[in-house]
Amino acid sequence: MSDSASSDAEPMALGGKLAGLSLPRQVLALALWPFLQNMMGVGVGFADMMIAGRMAEGESAEAIMDMMGAAMYLMWLLMILQGAMATGAMALVSRSTGAKDMKSANLALGQSLILGIGSGLFSGVMIWLVLPYMADFFGLSALATRHVTDYMRVAALLAPFSGVLFVASSCLRGYGDTMKPFLAMLIVNVVNVGLSLWLVYGLGWGVKGLAAGTVVGWAAGAAFILWFLRPKRRWSPEGQALDDGEPLVLHMRNLRYDMPMLRRVWRVSWPSMIEIIGMWSVHAVGIYFIGKMAAGTMGAHAMVVRLESMSFMPGFAIGMAASTLTGQYLGAGDPMMAKKAVRFCWLVAVVTMGGAGILISVFNTEFLSLFGNPGSSQHLIAAPVVRFVGMFQALNATMMVMKMSMRGAGDTRTVTVYSFASMGAIRVGLLWAAMTWLDIDLLGVWMVMMVDVLCQALIFVRLHYKGEWLKTEV
């Protein structure tokens, strides 16, 4: 990494908010606000789990935490299509911004929002239809099944709002503005936590109140980001309109169907959609096996996932910076700086995300106590898993930055193919063999998943150095 991760890069003539900045300052400008935004995103899940962990005692508390584990994967399923549309939107906006073609960037914003809202509506209806079958699939108790049904019937209503927020935030990041997506997620968090506490403890709505607070929070964040993207004109003290170059704004005319641009967004988005659906399906296999374990294991697994997500905050933020810089440098016709930017981001992600993982591993008991009684059986199951997983986050950082940078280049098909190959062989094949012949516990399941992380990290580092992703056309 060291030969290409130098921090003394010359300023490059990129478009948008990154014009004139050196490479380290570009990464800082792109990563700081996404890092804070990730804190807000993780905070939503953390707050919900902390509230849920104190809603009841004993068997009922265990059932609620198992519900939160299943709901976590159902919420991921709910947002897959919207996230895929956001991937295509960001690739096109960053390329257009790098080429200083803001007309195309604004058209991509409008058309991507059409796809984001449409996919959100479809996802919400789909969750309503499959929910009874998914509760059985997760192997939940009758009480946990009732809780997850109540929760997801309400939570499904946030799907179109997530489509707006995902797509608009990705377009802004592709343009180089990472502060507004953070502010939107800050609003989501504040509204979610405040309203959920009131609905759960003030009105006694239980898990329905928890879900309702989340829905209203996402709606508030979507409304804010649309308000910010409205067209606006700046004026000089003399009353003259200022022409700073057309920024990224949402014009109503760009919300009319434009088939050529829709096809471009879809061409980049669908491989990412297939990959994420595949990832969810692969994870669902693991969840199916976990659901067959002792009662409470699902809740323990959810605790591990929530804590691991803390280490993802710096890695994901730097990965987003790598993705944006890749798109902008390729749009500006400078593939060498695209490579240099990715390798610099790789180094920073390994250090920050690896350090966060070690912190979580060492202080696992203290972190787990955030989710309720630290002496419960679920906490005792989760503790050794957290200690193990925290030590592997540098590998996760490598995999994350390499894959996200290739997506930023628009090479989503390659990412999909190799991700599927590794996950299918290890997270399905090897996990099935381990469950069948070794009778592994939750720690064993996570060990298998970390083998997949290692393999994917090695695969995508090799693909990065081959350099074919630099030639992708979008």
Side-chain angles (χ1 to χ4, degrees):
M1 286 187 288
S2 60
D3 61 329
S4 297
S6 172
S7 63
D8 56 354
E10 293 293 325
M12 298 297 295
L14 293 181
K17 300 283 187 177
L18 303 179
L21 299 180
S22 65
L23 177 56
R25 291 182 64 193
Q26 288 169 356
V27 173
L28 179 62
L30 290 170
L32 176 61
W33 292 110
F35 171 69
L36 296 175
Q37 180 187 356
N38 291 341
M39 289 182 65
M40 296 298 101
V42 169
V44 172
F46 248 77
D48 284 353
M49 188 163 281
M50 290 170 68
I51 295 171
R54 290 162 174 80
M55 287 172 59
E57 298 291 339
E59 183 181 349
S60 182
E62 187 176 273
I64 289 175
M65 292 304 287
D66 281 347
M67 175 276 292
M68 292 301 294
M72 179 173 62
Y73 283 93
L74 290 171
M75 291 291 282
W76 182 14
L77 179 63
L78 181 68
M79 298 181 183
I80 283 176
L81 298 183
Q82 303 91 297
M85 298 308 112
T87 299
M90 182 173 178
L92 288 171
V93 169
S94 62
R95 281 288 185 101
S96 299
T97 302
K100 298 182 175 61
D101 181 7
M102 293 310 301
K103 182 178 180 180
S104 294
N106 287 326
L107 181 59
L109 166 64
Q111 299 304 296
S112 300
L113 279 171
I114 293 174
L115 292 173
I117 295 171
S119 62
L121 291 171
F122 176 82
S123 297
V125 173
M126 179 187 67
I127 286 293
W128 268 73
L129 295 176
V130 305
L131 185 56
Y133 307 100
M134 295 306 301
D136 291 337
F137 177 83
F138 288 132
L140 301 176
S141 66
L143 182 57
T145 297
R146 187 166 71 250
H147 285 321
V148 80
T149 301
D150 290 342
Y151 183 90
M152 290 305 304
R153 292 290 191 204
V154 177
L157 299 175
L158 68 79
F161 303 124
S162 69
V164 171
L165 198 50
F166 282 178
V167 167
S169 296
S170 292
C171 288
L172 282 166
R173 283 193 292 264
Y175 175 64
D177 186 346
T178 52
M179 182 176 71
K180 298 307 183 298
F182 158 72
L183 293 176
M185 283 307 301
L186 178 62
I187 289 172
V188 173
N189 244 291
V190 171
V191 174
N192 171 54
V193 173
L195 191 58
S196 293
L197 286 170
W198 180 59
L199 293 174
V200 170
Y201 296 117
L203 300 183
W205 285 17
V207 296
K208 290 182 179 179
L210 195 62
T214 304
V215 172
V216 177
W218 278 87
F224 166 80
I225 211 159
L226 287 177
W227 175 83
F228 171 75
L229 285 168
R230 75 195 189 285
K232 37 193 179 295
R233 177 170 287 183
R234 295 180 59 205
W235 300 89
S236 69
E238 294 78 23
Q240 299 294 318
L242 296 176
D243 182 12
D244 298 329
E246 187 178 16
L248 186 71
V249 293
L250 179 61
H251 295 291
M252 292 303 296
R253 64 177 181 270
N254 288 331
L255 289 174
R256 302 188 188 101
Y257 284 102
D258 183 283
M259 289 309 298
M261 182 57 75
L262 280 172
R263 288 192 194 99
R264 291 181 67 190
V265 176
W266 177 251
R267 188 169 65 244
V268 178
S269 298
W270 77 259
S272 180
M273 178 185 68
I274 297 300
E275 181 201 356
I276 300 171
I277 290 174
M279 286 177 62
W280 186 91
S281 301
V282 168
H283 280 275
V285 172
I287 288 298
Y288 174 78
F289 286 129
I290 291 171
K292 300 298 182 183
M293 296 179 182
T297 306
M298 185 71 72
H301 175 70
M303 295 177 190
V304 178
V305 172
R306 288 300 181 198
L307 288 180
E308 187 194 28
S309 67
M310 292 179 62
S311 69
F312 278 16
M313 290 188 294
F316 185 79
I318 295 163
M320 291 301 303
S323 181
T324 300
L325 289 172
T326 297
Q328 290 217 19
Y329 276 120
L330 291 178
D334 193 344
M336 292 304 296
M337 275 304 299
K339 282 197 300 185
K340 190 169 187 177
V342 173
R343 293 175 192 178
F344 179 73
C345 289
W346 179 17
L347 174 63
V348 177
V350 166
V351 172
T352 55
M353 192 167 161
I358 292 173
L359 185 68
I360 294 166
S361 179
V362 172
F363 296 101
N364 63 89
T365 302
E366 289 78 5
F367 283 113
L368 284 169
S369 66
L370 296 172
F371 301 136
N373 179 15
S376 70
S377 61
Q378 288 176 317
H379 285 74
L380 296 176
I381 294 171
V385 183
V386 174
R387 284 196 294 271
F388 171 77
V389 171
M391 306 307 294
F392 282 80
Q393 295 313 298
L395 286 174
N396 250 325
T398 297
M399 179 186 72
M400 191 178 295
V401 170
M402 293 302 169
K403 292 171 72 169
M404 293 176 75
S405 63
M406 291 177 69
R407 290 193 188 104
D411 193 6
T412 50
R413 297 186 187 186
T414 299
V415 176
T416 299
V417 169
Y418 283 97
S419 295
F420 263 137
S422 180
M423 290 188 297
I426 298 172
R427 296 200 184 208
V428 176
L430 182 59
L431 181 58
W432 175 83
M435 290 295 300
T436 302
W437 293 312
L438 300 180
D439 192 28
I440 59 176
D441 57 6
L442 183 63
L443 177 59
V445 171
W446 276 88
M447 286 180 175
V448 172
M449 291 195 289
M450 290 303 106
V451 172
D452 173 55
V453 169
L454 171 62
C455 289
Q456 288 201 53
L458 294 174
I459 288 169
F460 285 101
V461 167
R462 181 176 181 275
L463 290 173
H464 169 83
Y465 279 98
K466 284 184 67 176
E468 294 298 318
W469 55 279
L470 294 166
K471 304 172 186 177
T472 307
E473 295 184 5
V474 298

